[in-house]
Amino acid sequence: MSLLRDTLAGIVPADRAAAEACRRRWDAIAKPLHSLGLLEDAVVRVAAMMGSPDVDLSRRAIVVMCADHGVVAEGVTQTGQEVTAIVTENMSKGASSVCCMARQAHAEVVPVDIGVARPVAGAHILQHNLMRGTRNMTKGPAMDREVCVRAIETGIQVAKELCGRGMTLLGTGEMGIGNTTASSAVAAVLLGTEPGTVTGRGAGLSSRGLDRKVEAIRRAIAVNRPDPADPVDVLSKVGGLDLAGLTGVFLGGAACRTPVLVDGFISAAAALCAVRLCPAAGDYLLASHVSAEPAGERMLRELGLVPLLRANMCLGEGTGTAAVMPLLDMALAVYGQMATFDEIEVEAYQPLT
């Protein structure tokens, strides 16, 4: 049995009894009912994932899948793909945006070279390169199906290894010039919508550049005819190695009953692929923020997720996941440390009818 099939078979729905026990604990805490709103909901959701109302998110890592995209040849980006390698190596040095934020969130950043166009060096980079960037998807499939499956399995392997080291929370991120083009193509196919409605300016395209980007996606879909009922087909034809790797991280986290934070639009596109492959994997997702990309909100709705943060962020790298980790810590401080109504001998609040 392949790692992908084995992982899909091993994902079970979240534990509703644990969620109910967690909610009862929240309702017993000496404060107005549900007064921490989405923060309470997030802890309840995590309890269901872990199968216990005793929630611990103290050990966390942000997995950043790094890969290049052949579609940059169509003029769909503001910068060249050499930036992918530079930022990947900066992550190994702790010098990228997500690294600065992760230090404040007490999270480990794990950069993975799954498809960077040139070799990258750094002690903290996981070396799993499968291709030196995808092919230009406007001319044919971005990668072979077999390579796509290997990329998904790489993500599964990374997630399972981190969980095996004791990580209790995973964040997701990516680095790859051109990956908003691939993500928009994946979103257009999976949502069954016109590319122009899900495609944004990415890292800062002009209006002319945006037109080129939308047109490139239309051509890629027309040339490859990806099957929306087959997420692997979609990823291999119009996706990217980073997206496939992240799909695997979501699946691997779910198989380990570990919560996985969705970052922005690109991460959400990968999450949607994971959920289409295994609906139960959706039980193990938390939305960190809503991306400023045009389809950011729609992707979260499709996943049935509500973002914890709205900050008009569109940086990527997993920065959104780092940003919400301290919020979860504060929620857990109240959940684990605050007295109950019984302990302070005060009548409990009653739910409104």
Side-chain angles (χ1 to χ4, degrees):
M1 200 174 203
S2 74
L3 177 58
L4 176 56
R5 288 198 301 271
D6 190 35
T7 301
L8 293 175
I11 297 172
V12 298
D15 186 339
R16 301 306 168 197
E20 291 169 7
C22 180
R23 178 59 71 191
R24 287 195 297 270
R25 161 68 186 172
W26 272 121
D27 290 349
I29 291 172
K31 64 171 189 59
L33 295 175
H34 203 241
S35 51
L36 285 180
L38 294 177
L39 296 182
E40 291 187 32
D41 296 342
V43 175
V44 170
R45 191 171 173 87
V46 171
M49 297 175 195
M50 294 182 162
S52 170
D54 299 322
V55 176
D56 176 11
L57 299 177
S58 59
R59 298 196 63 193
R60 67 276 297 255
I62 301 171
V63 181
V64 186
M65 289 288 173
C66 307
D68 279 300
H69 296 258
V71 73
V72 299
E74 301 301 312
V76 297
T77 61
Q78 188 180 51
T79 58
Q81 63 182 191
E82 67 278 359
V83 174
T84 303
I86 293 169
V87 176
T88 301
E89 291 181 333
N90 281 343
M91 284 181 191
S92 182
K93 302 171 187 174
S96 76
S97 299
V98 70
C99 295
C100 296
M101 296 174 71
R103 281 192 288 273
Q104 300 302 310
H106 307 291
E108 177 183 345
V109 176
V110 183
V112 182
D113 173 9
I114 196 167
V116 182
R118 71 156 172 84
V120 289
H124 300 292
I125 299 171
L126 299 186
Q127 302 286 351
H128 291 295
N129 192 288
L130 299 176
M131 287 174 68
R132 290 297 171 194
T134 52
R135 299 187 288 264
N136 185 345
M137 65 181 182
T138 68
K139 314 292 186 186
M143 67 188 106
D144 296 338
R145 185 183 180 93
E146 294 76 15
V147 173
C148 184
V149 171
R150 285 172 58 202
I152 295 171
E153 292 181 336
T154 296
I156 292 172
Q157 176 187 339
V158 170
K160 288 187 172 182
E161 287 175 355
L162 288 169
C163 293
R165 282 175 43 200
M167 295 298 174
T168 54
L169 176 64
L170 298 179
T172 52
E174 35 58 43
M175 179 59 222
I177 300 302
N179 59 15
T180 59
T181 303
S183 301
S184 296
V186 168
V189 174
L190 293 182
L191 297 176
T193 192
E194 211 282 324
T197 65
V198 294
T199 305
R201 297 178 185 271
L205 279 178
S206 65
S207 294
R208 178 177 290 184
L210 179 59
D211 290 341
R212 285 196 301 269
K213 185 174 179 179
V214 172
E215 179 55 30
I217 294 169
R218 288 188 182 123
R219 279 188 283 128
I221 293 173
V223 165
N224 292 293
R225 301 180 66 184
D227 179 2
D230 182 355
V232 177
D233 188 61
V234 177
L235 282 168
S236 65
K237 288 179 175 176
V238 298
L241 291 155
D242 44 2
L243 286 165
L246 287 176
T247 299
V249 173
F250 290 117
L251 294 172
C256 294
R257 303 203 66 168
T258 300
V260 188
L261 284 163
V262 181
D263 187 26
F265 173 58
I266 297 160
S267 180
L272 186 55
C273 290
V275 171
R276 293 287 176 87
L277 282 167
C278 179
D283 285 357
Y284 297 86
L285 305 179
L286 287 173
S288 60
H289 73 117
V290 58
S291 169
E293 283 287 292
E297 196 88 51
R298 182 170 178 183
M299 294 296 280
L300 294 186
R301 285 201 305 270
E302 188 71 19
L303 289 164
L305 300 176
V306 180
L308 290 167
L309 186 66
R310 291 181 179 274
N312 289 333
M313 295 172 66
C314 55
L315 175 57
E317 295 184 20
T319 50
T321 69
V324 302
M325 287 177 180
L327 289 177
L328 294 172
D329 288 340
M330 287 183 272
L332 286 173
V334 175
Y335 179 74
Q337 299 170 23
M338 193 167 170
T340 65
F341 287 108
D342 285 346
E343 288 168 342
I344 65 171
E345 299 180 343
V346 170
E347 185 178 352
Y349 280 91
Q350 298 301 313
L352 295 176
T353 58

